[in-house]
């Protein structure tokens, strides 16, 4: 009986080796030709395998509406003046006040050539478009050209621009012009 068991085990082992050999052959036949080789870097492969590039911070936000408008991005502290055919005419950074408008669509409701801001600074080219909790919100430029951070103890809605950017806003944002605020 020992002899027949040995023959049986030998036959089983031979069968198992045959199956493993067949499966190894199938696996090698379907493996990529460059398996096990060092990868080569080419312009096309490096472009497709590189991490997603960061979005240009000056790019117009995707969900900012259509048509001629002012776009104000709260998180980026940036403004875009968008003309016909959704073409950006100008973009620039601003210094926000302590009170932000809620994201949404507004319109220019009033303008002043020169006044004193709520912080006591003489300002010009004031373009107002919103009010939040009784604080009027608008774009303006300090006559002295400064754009300091606002006093956090005061509620101010002035979004300060450089004088050159304030001039551009004044020319562009006439009464009724759309102002789109995005997060």
């Amino acid at each position: 009986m020992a002899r027949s068991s040995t023959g049986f085990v030998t036959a089983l082992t031979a069968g198992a080796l045959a199956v493993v050999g067949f499966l190894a052959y199938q696996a090698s036949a379907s493996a990529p030709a460059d398996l096990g080789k060092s990868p080569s870097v080419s312009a096309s492969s490096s472009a497709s395998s590189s991490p997603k590039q960061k979005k240009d911070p000056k790019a117009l936000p995707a969900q900012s509406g259509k048509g001629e408008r002012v776009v104000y991005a709260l998180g980026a502290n940036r403004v875009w003046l968008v003309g016909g055919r959704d073409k950006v005419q100008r973009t620039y950074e601003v210094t926000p006040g302590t009170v932000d408008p809620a994201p949404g669509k507004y319109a220019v409701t009033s303008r002043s050539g020169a006044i004193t801001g709520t912080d006591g600074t003489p300002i010009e080219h004031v373009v107002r478009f919103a009010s939040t909790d009784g604080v009027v919100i608008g774009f303006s430029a300090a006559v002295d050209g400064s754009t300091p951070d606002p006093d956090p103890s005061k509620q101010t809605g002035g979004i300060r621009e450089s004088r050159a950017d304030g001039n551009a806003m004044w020319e562009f944002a006439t009464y009724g012009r759309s102002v789109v605020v995005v997060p």
Side-chain angles (χ1 to χ4, degrees):
M1 197 153 178
R3 226 177 218 196
S4 66
S5 303
T6 306
F8 180 72
V9 170
T10 303
L12 245 140
T13 303
L17 287 173
V19 169
V20 168
F22 177 73
L23 292 174
Y25 168 76
Q26 279 189 325
S28 69
S30 64
D34 62 352
L35 183 66
K37 295 180 183 175
S38 296
S40 62
V41 178
S42 68
S44 62
S45 68
S46 64
S48 63
S49 65
S50 65
K52 191 175 185 179
Q53 293 191 3
K54 291 186 177 183
K55 188 176 178 183
D56 179 3
K58 294 181 181 178
L60 182 66
Q63 302 299 317
S64 64
K66 296 283 182 199
E68 294 181 357
R69 65 200 181 278
V70 174
V71 176
Y72 174 40
L74 297 170
N77 293 326
R78 179 169 286 280
V79 168
W80 292 262
L81 305 181
V82 184
R85 296 186 177 157
D86 288 330
K87 183 173 168 63
V88 175
Q89 295 180 350
R90 186 181 189 111
T91 183
Y92 52 90
E93 291 182 335
V94 295
T95 302
T98 59
V99 178
D100 286 332
K105 186 175 180 182
Y106 302 88
V108 173
T109 55
S110 70
R111 295 165 31 108
S112 297
I115 62 170
T116 300
T118 55
D119 61 357
T121 302
I123 56 176
E124 64 183 0
H125 297 144
V126 181
V127 176
R128 299 176 199 88
F129 64 92
S131 178
T132 300
D133 297 328
V135 178
V136 177
I137 299 174
F139 303 102
S140 63
V143 174
D144 67 5
S146 65
T147 57
D149 288 332
D151 179 348
S153 68
K154 295 182 179 178
Q155 288 197 319
T156 60
I159 304 163
R160 291 290 164 80
E161 313 162 295
S162 71
R163 290 190 80 190
D165 294 332
N167 288 337
M169 176 69 78
W170 183 255
E171 293 294 320
F172 184 81
T174 55
Y175 286 101
R177 173 75 71 198
S178 291
V179 178
V180 179
V181 178
V182 297

